Amino acid sequence: PLQHRLLVRAKSQQILAISREAERKGCFTLDLSGYQCAGLAPSTERSIRIHFKLKETDKARILLSNILTKNDYSASEKMFASRFVKRNRNELSGGNGQEKMDAVFNTDTDKINPELCFSDLTLHDQPQKNIELAVMEKFGKDKYRCWHIENDGILSLFGLAMWSVIFHKLPGVFINANQTGPLDLFWQDFYPQRDEQIVSCLQTLKSSRSFSSNLLEIYDVKIGIANPFASWQHFSRDGFSF
């Protein structure tokens, strides 16, 4: 048993690699045991595929149900399970009167964020340039200020807003001075390792007099420092004038 998160993950990755090789060689008992020990994506996905291949649909069904109903799995795992159920719904029911699985995982995103919505924009004239510039021209005539920055805008805002969380010093996540972010940035347990810091950061942003002025203060202090989300070359201070 290992206690350090980086060592635990390194061990899991090795077990996952060995299990994948065992699967390629048809050693299903070994790789199923390995996937269970690894506890790292895509272990559960691979186990489901093997059970399904071995006609062990009940075992596959249990694992699929876990992914679709529990919070321990990532969005990508849930999307895999959703697609897998849709493709194999008849086989998973087994024709034994078993209730068909719901292929859609539950999310309350739209319910708790009523401001999320779509709006349609109709351009009556054929765009002479690319569609992004045509949309900018349309809104520019309506006295809006527009920037064409793809995803850089929202990612940069996120990087600034959550700066203290991203660079919160946990044991072993920063091992050299040249890292642009923590080693565990995209690990599934990134959030639970920093839940207190995340809650505190959000509360600070909510209680500040001005969200934009709060981010401007961070911008002025941090500009030019590498951040995995902040795209300095595409995102200027002028972009905060909203």
Side-chain angles (χ1 to χ4, degrees):
L2 300 170
Q3 301 301 320
H4 198 290
R5 285 177 64 232
L6 268 68
L7 294 178
V8 170
R9 185 173 179 86
K11 177 182 176 182
S12 295
Q13 288 175 324
Q14 292 300 316
I15 294 174
L16 187 63
I18 293 170
S19 302
R20 191 72 181 92
E21 186 62 25
E23 182 183 350
R24 292 189 183 98
K25 295 183 180 300
C27 304
F28 296 131
T29 302
L30 175 60
D31 60 17
L32 280 170
S33 176
Y35 286 142
Q36 186 175 4
C37 290
L40 193 68
S43 295
T44 307
E45 174 185 337
R46 298 311 314 169
S47 296
I48 289 169
R49 293 185 184 279
I50 292 169
H51 285 309
F52 197 74
K53 185 175 183 178
L54 297 176
K55 308 298 183 184
E56 298 172 348
T57 52
D58 286 343
K59 293 180 179 179
R61 185 185 174 92
I62 290 172
L63 293 177
L64 285 165
S65 178
N66 287 341
I67 293 178
L68 291 169
T69 59
K70 295 183 179 180
N71 295 325
D72 303 330
Y73 298 90
S74 66
S76 61
E77 289 176 296
K78 289 181 179 294
M79 286 188 284
F80 153 75
S82 181
R83 290 194 297 265
F84 193 90
V85 170
K86 287 178 181 177
R87 287 198 304 267
N88 304 288
R89 195 185 295 273
N90 291 335
E91 292 90 336
L92 288 167
S93 67
N96 55 5
Q98 209 173 58
E99 181 181 340
K100 288 189 176 182
M101 293 189 71
D102 184 357
V104 181
F105 60 92
N106 294 324
T107 174
D108 291 327
T109 301
D110 293 338
K111 294 179 183 177
I112 63 177
N113 292 291
E115 72 275 13
L116 294 178
C117 61
F118 292 97
S119 60
D120 295 326
L121 171 65
T122 301
L123 298 176
H124 297 287
D125 299 322
Q126 179 70 27
Q128 300 300 311
K129 305 171 184 177
N130 63 48
I131 190 65
E132 290 87 356
L133 290 177
V135 172
M136 289 175 64
E137 288 179 359
K138 166 65 174 65
F139 281 110
K141 292 177 181 177
D142 294 336
K143 306 298 173 59
Y144 287 95
R145 297 171 61 196
C146 306
W147 296 267
H148 178 199
I149 51 178
E150 298 292 346
N151 294 322
D152 288 334
I154 190 65
L155 287 175
S156 296
L157 285 173
F158 174 80
L160 290 179
M162 304 301 290
W163 195 289
S164 62
V165 173
I166 296 167
F167 293 98
H168 178 66
K169 294 192 184 321
L170 288 175
V173 298
F174 290 100
I175 59 175
N176 71 69
N178 298 315
Q179 286 179 227
T180 58
L183 292 177
D184 65 342
L185 182 60
F186 298 106
W187 297 6
Q188 284 184 240
D189 62 346
F190 178 90
Y191 178 89
Q193 290 290 326
R194 299 165 175 79
D195 54 353
E196 292 183 6
Q197 288 75 27
I198 291 172
V199 171
S200 175
C201 182
L202 291 174
Q203 288 177 340
T204 299
L205 290 170
K206 288 180 180 179
S207 62
S208 64
R209 288 176 292 112
S210 169
F211 179 73
S212 56
S213 63
N214 189 300
L215 294 189
L216 277 173
E217 292 177 8
I218 300 174
Y219 183 96
D220 290 336
V221 173
K222 303 297 186 181
I223 182 171
I225 298 175
N227 179 304
F229 300 101
S231 181
W232 300 115
Q233 68 271 30
H234 298 130
F235 194 65
S236 66
R237 197 180 194 280
D238 187 47
F240 285 100
S241 302
F242 53 79

